[in-house]
């Protein structure tokens, strides 16, 4: 994968398409990002084969089918996914079925562009898998495109990115290089987010935040995720909770559960965040920057805990601490009430 990073790099899109030998790109976006997609289409000129602006969160199967049909009808030889994780995810869904190469221009901090992980949601269940075919060929990180990302999305998306790094630090396939990327990714994002919230148009803070997102996404791409990502996957896929906000609320509770069993990861995070209390620091920072404080605020009820627990325990996955039903219920009850953010 090739990565271009820096303010104004979107301007290099036509050369990047040419370098990859692509002549008919289908541009993908969410409805909200259509204007940006049109700008990219304008830059591509005749290399743009069409625009599909209906990307949705969690990649519903119906949306993926429609986008694949649009790519076929346009005679596309590749896709340009410009936007957040929803748009990148749609590009991956097309790539998985057709092998069409994807260029990504990420405009949030979600990190999907750095991973071979695809996801599809059908009938309230989200399926994910790894497939190198879906890994983007080129990624263009242009911080100028994030200047208008709303503060709330910036903060929650930033926490989504940090969650990748946290779980990479105690992953069964962690390595010293991953730990370095995770530490620097968390440090960069944690330092930048308050500045982004104070002045969303500050290119310096936006650059640092996007650089942190790149590092955290790279951690996600090469390690196996644990309890936190499993729970977010269930909460998004079955309960339709907003992806980044769910990561933000839940991360401190999973950290409180797992870090006592992962002292090396805890040490790295203490250094990166300059704190002795990683879970409390994460919770207070998020709410201090205006993020939701509890799963209840996101619409979850106590009645949902049975189903989440059942789904989260239905298949074993790596975690530094054994996940019992009792412990999981207690964790979810705390996150439901937002006890750490008090
Ligand atoms: P998103 O892509 O849905 O974007 C959130 C909102 O922000 C959208 O309405 C979008 O139009 C808007 N937006 C995006 N960029 C903007 C900008 N620069 N300015 C203004 N508005 C902008 O949300 P997300 O949090 O980026 O991604 C979430 C999705 O990504 C989920 O489906 C999740 O499962 C997936 N994801 C996948 C991976 C992976 O490795 N497969 C990793 C992380 C996230």
């Amino acid at each position: 994968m090739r990565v271009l990073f820096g303010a104004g790099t979107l301007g290099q899109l036509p050369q990047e398409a040419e370098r990859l030998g692509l002549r008919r790109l289908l541009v993908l976006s969410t409805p909200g990002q259509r204007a940006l997609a049109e700008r990219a289409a304008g830059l591509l000129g005749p290399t743009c084969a069409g625009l599909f602006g209906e990307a949705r969160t969690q990649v519903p199967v119906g949306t993926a089918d429609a986008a694949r049909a649009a790519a076929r009808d346009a005679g596309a030889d590749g896709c340009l996914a410009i936007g957040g994780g929803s748009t990148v995810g749609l590009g991956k869904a097309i790539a998985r079925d057709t092998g069409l190469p994807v260029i990504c221009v990420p405009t949030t901090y979600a990190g999907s562009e750095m991973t071979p992980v695809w996801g599809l949601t059908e009938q309230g269940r989200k399926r994910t898998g790894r497939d190198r075919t879906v890994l983007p060929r080129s990624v263009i990180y242009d911080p100028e495109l994030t200047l208008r990302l709303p503060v709330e999305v910036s903060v929650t998306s930033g926490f989504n990115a940090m969650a990748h790094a946290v779980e990479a630090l105690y992953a069964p396939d962690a390595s010293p290089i991953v730990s370095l990327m995770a530490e620097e990714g968390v440090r960069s994002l944690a330092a930048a987010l308050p500045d982004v919230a104070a002045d969303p148009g500050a290119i310096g803070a936006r650059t640092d935040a996007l650089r942190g997102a790149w590092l955290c996404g790279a951690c996600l791409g090469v390690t196996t995720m644990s309890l936190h990502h499993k729970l977010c996957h269930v909460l998004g896929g079955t309960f339709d909770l907003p992806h980044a906000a769910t990561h933000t609320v839940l991360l401190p509770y999973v950290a409180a559960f797992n870090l006592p069993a992962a002292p090396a990861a805890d040490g790295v995070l203490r250094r990166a965040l300059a704190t002795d209390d990683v879970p409390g620091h994460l919770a207070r920072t998020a709410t201090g920057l205006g993020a939701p404080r509890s799963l209840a605020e996101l619409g979850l009820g106590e009645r949902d805990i049975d189903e989440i627990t059942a789904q989260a325990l239905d298949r074993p996955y790596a975690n530094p601490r054994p996940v019992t039903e009792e412990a999981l219920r207690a964790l979810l009850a705390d996150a439901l009430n937002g006890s750490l953010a008090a």
Side-chain angles (χ1 to χ4, degrees), residues 140-166:
I140 300 177
Y141 284 114
D142 185 343
E144 281 180 2
L145 307 182
T146 63
L147 296 178
R148 292 211 186 98
L149 186 65
V151 168
E152 195 207 326
V153 186
S154 303
V155 170
T156 55
S157 184
F159 272 77
N160 182 187
M162 288 196 281
H164 308 329
V166 169

Side-chain angles (χ1 to χ4, degrees), residues 40-289:
L43 280 171
L44 286 170
T47 308
C48 174
L51 199 161
F52 182 89
E54 299 301 323
R56 300 262 179 267
T57 190
Q58 307 297 358
V59 195
V61 165
T63 307
D65 290 345
R68 209 174 34 247
R72 191 191 50 231
D73 294 349
D77 61 3
C79 293
L80 168 70
I82 184 160
S86 300
T87 309
V88 174
L90 184 60
K92 288 176 165 182
I94 297 172
R96 179 170 168 254
D97 287 339
T98 62
L100 290 182
V102 182
I103 299 177
C104 278
V105 181
T107 62
T108 69
Y109 307 132
S112 178
E113 65 283 351
M114 281 291 127
T115 85
V117 180
W118 55 266
L120 277 173
T121 303
E122 188 167 24
Q123 293 174 344
R125 287 261 176 166
K126 185 175 173 189
R127 286 183 291 130
T128 61
R130 280 179 180 261
D131 183 341
R132 289 197 70 79
T133 317
V134 309
L135 195 67
R137 301 292 170 87
S138 293
V139 177
I140 300 177
Y141 284 114
D142 185 343
E144 281 180 2
L145 307 182
T146 63
L147 296 178
R148 292 211 186 98
L149 186 65
V151 168
E152 195 207 326
V153 186
S154 303
V155 170
T156 55
S157 184
F159 272 77
N160 182 187
M162 288 196 281
H164 308 329
V166 169
E167 293 229 297
L169 282 167
Y170 53 62
D173 39 10
S175 70
I177 289 177
V178 166
S179 297
L180 285 171
M181 293 197 298
E183 178 170 353
E184 188 51 27
V186 169
R187 182 179 290 119
S188 196
L189 264 164
L193 289 180
D195 295 340
V196 164
D199 181 3
I203 190 71
R206 288 295 191 178
T207 302
D208 289 347
L210 198 58
R211 179 174 161 277
W214 174 12
L215 286 161
C216 292
C219 292
L220 175 67
V222 293
T223 54
T224 308
M225 295 288 109
S226 299
L227 176 63
H228 175 79
H229 282 72
K230 174 76 184 181
L231 286 174
C232 289
H233 177 118
V234 173
L235 291 167
T238 302
F239 295 90
D240 216 15
L241 259 53
H243 182 82
T246 304
H247 271 273
T248 308
V249 170
L250 206 54
L251 182 62
Y253 300 91
V254 180
F257 180 74
N258 274 340
L259 291 181
D266 191 33
V268 169
L269 292 168
R270 284 174 186 231
R271 254 196 331 262
L273 296 169
T275 180
D276 289 335
D277 171 18
V278 172
H281 182 85
L282 287 170
R284 287 188 296 274
T285 304
T287 50
L289 295 174

